[in-house]
């Protein structure tokens, strides 16, 4: 059975389109993989920044609490000292 030139051309176009689809799929898959890696790295970076911000805030709170404790001790000491000459 002999294929007509028209049928051969149609098959060639079909094969070419299939090849292009495969190439597009592989390219998209690679790009998606690279994007996923970029996002992971960006997320890790953001998490590190947030972690450092939280540590800084906690350190600031610790200092504030120490200052408040010292103020309370000083106030307690003033209140517990008997009035002079009483």
């Amino acid at each position: 059975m002999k294929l007509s030139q028209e049928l051969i051309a149609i098959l060639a176009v079909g094969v070419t389109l299939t090849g292009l689809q495969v190439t597009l799929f592989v390219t998209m898959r690679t790009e998606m993989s690279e994007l996923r890696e970029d996002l992971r790295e960006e997320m890790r970076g953001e998490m590190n920044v947030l972690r450092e911000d939280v540590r800084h805030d906690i350190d600031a709170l610790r200092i504030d609490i120490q200052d408040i404790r010292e103020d309370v001790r000083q106030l307690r000491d003033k209140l517990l000292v008997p009035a002079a000459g009483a």
Side-chain angles (χ1 to χ4, degrees):
M1 174 179 191
K2 225 175 177 183
L3 297 176
S4 69
Q5 294 290 0
E6 198 174 289
L7 185 55
I8 291 172
I10 290 171
L11 289 173
V13 169
V15 168
T16 302
L17 288 175
T18 302
L20 289 172
Q21 286 176 332
V22 168
T23 302
L24 179 63
F25 173 77
V26 170
T27 302
M28 293 293 287
R29 186 174 176 190
T30 302
E31 288 177 4
M32 292 298 287
S33 178
E34 290 171 358
L35 283 172
R36 185 177 63 232
E37 275 304 310
D38 290 346
L39 283 173
R40 282 184 180 161
E41 289 175 15
E42 188 176 328
M43 286 173 58
R44 286 185 197 126
E46 284 294 320
M47 287 176 68
N48 287 336
V49 168
L50 291 173
R51 186 178 298 119
E52 287 303 315
D53 287 348
V54 168
R55 284 183 183 154
H56 176 74
D57 291 345
I58 289 174
D59 289 343
L61 283 172
R62 285 181 179 148
I63 291 170
D64 289 345
I65 290 170
Q66 288 173 353
D67 290 346
I68 291 170
R69 284 180 177 165
E70 184 58 32
D71 291 344
V72 168
R73 283 186 196 115
Q74 290 175 6
L75 182 60
R76 180 196 66 203
D77 291 344
K78 285 180 183 177
L79 292 173
L80 291 179
V81 172

